[in-house]
Amino acid sequence: MEIRTRFAPSPTGFLHVGGARTALFNYLYAKAKGGKFILRIEDTDQDRSTLDSEKTILESMQWLGIHWDEGPDIGGEYGPYRQSERLEIYKKFTNLLLEKNLAYRCFCTPEELEAKKKQADAMGIPNVYDGVHANMTPKEIQAKLDAKVPYSIRFRVPHKQVIVDDLIQGKVKFDTKLIGDFIIVKSDGFPSYNYAVVIDDYLMKISHVIRGVGHLSNTPRQILIYEALGFPLPQFAHVSEIVGTDGKKLSKRAGATSILAFRDLGYTNECFANYIALLGWSPEDSQEYIKKEKLERIFDIERCSKSPAMFDVFKKMSEEEKESVSLNSLTTVELGNYLNPKSKLNWLSNKHICDMEMNELMKEISPFLEIANIPSEYKDINNTTIRDIVYSIRVYLDRLSQAPPYIEEFFRVEINFENEEAKQILENANAKTVVHEFYNFLQSSNPKTPQDYKNLMEEVGKKTEQKGKNLFMPIRVATTGKTQGLELPILFSLLGVEKLLKRIAHLTKESVLKI
Ligand code: GLU
């Protein structure tokens, strides 16, 4: 049997972590098994579906490197791939169900249904539809139809136990008593989710339905439809819930932000896909740093876990903070302040950045070079100086967006002290001597490589009889204004003698030093 999986988003917002994880698992499973991955847009909620949302979802998937074999934009053998374009198909099956008396028209008004719901809520019992119109005579029905009374169509739910045999959750039993006759076609003529999804999954020959565990409770309804229409069941796999650092389900306010925000924050798509692949799945060898090409080979539903997966990207927020801030509506820079610096995502990201092939890294970093405050010729990703700079700073980056301040550092002629503490280091007499000697050695020798600078600093150490922190800290502060940063020999070889001399000379002008 050919493996065919699908991602079936409703275009009612952006793609968030939960959706992206579902899309990725379906894609990876199809890839690993040599099957096909299908994208289907479930836009039957006419009030909430928008084309803009569909576009954002597609853009997010493309960014993540999730490629579909069939979909609304590229077509395929089983199209159309937008539910709103498949109404005629559903109608055929609805007529069949009506003919077989497996479904019936419900003429209840929204007000009547609302009143029933309120009553059930007040009594503290589940709101199960009472089936008032389940047994109307053909004459009664015709009279309502002639009077043009709007109606929905409900599925006649048989009383039985339904067992969902799930690849991840195991066998889960449901009693249909608590389901009640549910709507399969709404009064606007559009099918409900639980109905359309079955017809489409069957007609599109979907072999595995992989989705969030939130949909497990919908599955018995869907199974009843499969049975009524005589369709074979696909394999179901409901993946675990995703929780935030507070252990609570991700909400749009606290964590379920748009996937594109992570692109803008400077995470690479490969790293982000690696991270979300680990939300509820782990490889046999427990290695967490995994390249996309390997994920596409080794992913398997069998290794998915039932336990909630922790999305540790954002810091734990207090309840008050959650009330006042919605992560979802922040700018990228603001959102950056809520990142958890110790997240697994950052750890993976740094590894991916360091491991990336240089041409690839330059391509990924180029949007951030664009916004860096540096001469325009260095924004060219083929410029060898900027390539050397990026190469040397990459180990310090958890996100590509952190690159500009490091890069700008190389182009600064005059330094600014990061704080008073840094400035005070140069007030010490020994420190002044060290910088003085460093300046002299710079003038008299012609260092180029990191090794040349290492040797030069050793000479300065010998001459001034200073070593360790007492030697390199004054030099670092006098040349960068900061107490930490890149390894000095590497930094110096990139800055060059001329710029170093200028920086130190500038301190003399500012009367911090006398050279
Ligand atoms: N349209 C549904 C959603 O976005 C799809 C659920 C499913 O995969 O069956 O949640």
Side-chain angles (χ1 to χ4, degrees), residues 6 8-10 42 193 197 201 209-211 215 222:
R6 66 8 174 226
S10 304
E42 302 208 325
Y193 154 66
V197 75
D201 283 343
V209 170
I210 306 168
R211 60 189 172 198
H215 282 295
Q222 296 171 16

Side-chain angles (χ1 to χ4, degrees), residues 404-442:
Y406 282 101
I407 295 172
E408 285 161 10
E409 189 54 45
F410 287 91
F411 295 90
R412 219 184 289 285
V413 177
E414 299 173 357
I415 58 150
N416 303 316
F417 291 104
E418 67 180 351
N419 52 32
E420 263 313 297
E421 198 191 318
K423 196 171 174 182
Q424 271 164 18
I425 290 174
L426 295 182
E427 276 162 24
N428 174 295
N430 283 340
K432 284 187 203 287
T433 319
V434 165
V435 177
H436 197 121
E437 285 307 328
F438 178 67
Y439 188 85
N440 288 344
F441 272 102
L442 275 181

Side-chain angles (χ1 to χ4, degrees), residues 6-12 19 22 26 40-44 83 193-194 197-198 201 209-212 215 218 222 236 238:
R6 66 8 174 226
F7 177 51
S10 304
T12 54
T22 300
N26 276 287
R40 180 176 70 230
I41 299 294
E42 302 208 325
D43 57 348
T44 55
Q83 288 188 325
Y193 154 66
N194 277 314
V197 75
V198 170
D201 283 343
V209 170
I210 306 168
R211 60 189 172 198
H215 282 295
N218 284 323
Q222 296 171 16
F236 291 105
H238 286 90

Side-chain angles (χ1 to χ4, degrees), residues 151-420:
Y151 63 87
S152 54
I153 298 176
R154 286 184 185 267
F155 180 71
R156 205 181 286 279
V157 171
H159 284 175
K160 61 186 277 193
Q161 213 176 46
V162 177
I163 297 176
V164 180
D165 194 358
D166 193 274
L167 289 174
I168 300 170
Q169 307 293 329
K171 284 191 169 59
V172 190
K173 284 187 202 152
F174 292 89
D175 196 325
T176 63
K177 260 207 300 259
L178 292 174
I179 293 179
D181 297 349
F182 58 91
I183 293 178
I184 55 173
V185 181
K186 298 176 277 182
S187 54
D188 62 5
F190 275 64
S192 68
Y193 154 66
N194 277 314
Y195 181 51
V197 75
V198 170
I199 296 175
D200 289 345
D201 283 343
Y202 168 71
L203 292 178
M204 294 181 183
K205 296 202 162 50
I206 301 302
S207 62
H208 290 72
V209 170
I210 306 168
R211 60 189 172 198
V213 71
H215 282 295
L216 185 62
S217 59
N218 284 323
T219 313
R221 287 178 180 78
Q222 296 171 16
I223 290 181
L224 291 173
I225 306 273
Y226 275 102
E227 289 174 350
L229 291 172
F231 298 161
L233 293 183
Q235 296 268 18
F236 291 105
H238 286 90
V239 288
S240 64
E241 189 170 74
I242 302 177
V243 295
T245 24
D246 56 0
K248 297 209 178 110
K249 206 173 147 194
L250 291 187
S251 68
K252 293 223 164 132
R253 293 175 69 83
T257 39
S258 165
I259 289 307
L260 296 177
F262 298 99
R263 174 193 66 186
D264 301 341
L265 280 165
Y267 294 104
T268 65
N269 59 354
E270 184 165 24
C271 144
F272 202 72
N274 181 174
Y275 178 75
I276 57 176
L278 299 172
L279 294 174
W281 170 82
S282 58
E284 215 172 331
D285 61 8
S286 305
Q287 289 295 316
E288 296 197 300
Y289 171 69
I290 316 171
K291 296 276 219 186
K292 175 104 179 304
E293 155 283 311
K294 185 169 173 195
L295 278 176
E296 290 175 359
R297 257 188 302 115
I298 65 169
F299 184 84
D300 202 338
I301 285 300
E302 245 109 81
R303 297 199 51 82
C304 284
S305 150
K306 264 204 234 189
S307 333
M310 161 94 80
F311 182 73
D312 70 346
V313 171
F314 294 109
K315 288 184 211 161
K316 192 169 167 180
M317 286 163 78
S318 65
E319 288 307 315
E320 297 91 75
E321 228 171 345
K322 275 196 232 165
E323 280 301 311
S324 59
V325 202
S326 175
L327 293 186
N328 206 13
S329 56
L330 299 182
T331 62
T332 309
V333 174
E334 289 166 342
L335 190 61
N337 297 329
Y338 287 89
L339 290 172
N340 164 17
K342 299 224 151 58
S343 68
K344 188 188 282 182
L345 177 63
N346 277 357
W347 173 74
L348 283 174
S349 178
N350 177 263
K351 278 176 105 57
H352 277 279
I353 291 172
C354 292
D355 221 20
M356 221 183 264
E357 206 257 312
M358 230 9 232
N359 283 334
E360 186 62 26
L361 178 57
M362 290 312 294
K363 230 173 48 209
E364 292 274 350
I365 215 162
S366 94
F368 301 100
L369 281 183
E370 269 315 309
I371 53 169
N373 190 11
I374 56 173
S376 61
E377 65 264 36
Y378 295 100
K379 296 186 178 192
D380 173 0
I381 56 173
N382 296 315
N383 178 294
T384 49
T385 306
I386 197 73
R387 288 174 80 92
D388 287 347
I389 292 175
V390 168
Y391 184 80
S392 68
I393 64 164
R394 76 202 193 295
V395 289
Y396 299 95
L397 306 178
D398 286 338
R399 294 185 277 134
L400 298 174
S401 56
Q402 291 167 336
Y406 282 101
I407 295 172
E408 285 161 10
E409 189 54 45
F410 287 91
F411 295 90
R412 219 184 289 285
V413 177
E414 299 173 357
I415 58 150
N416 303 316
F417 291 104
E418 67 180 351
N419 52 32
E420 263 313 297

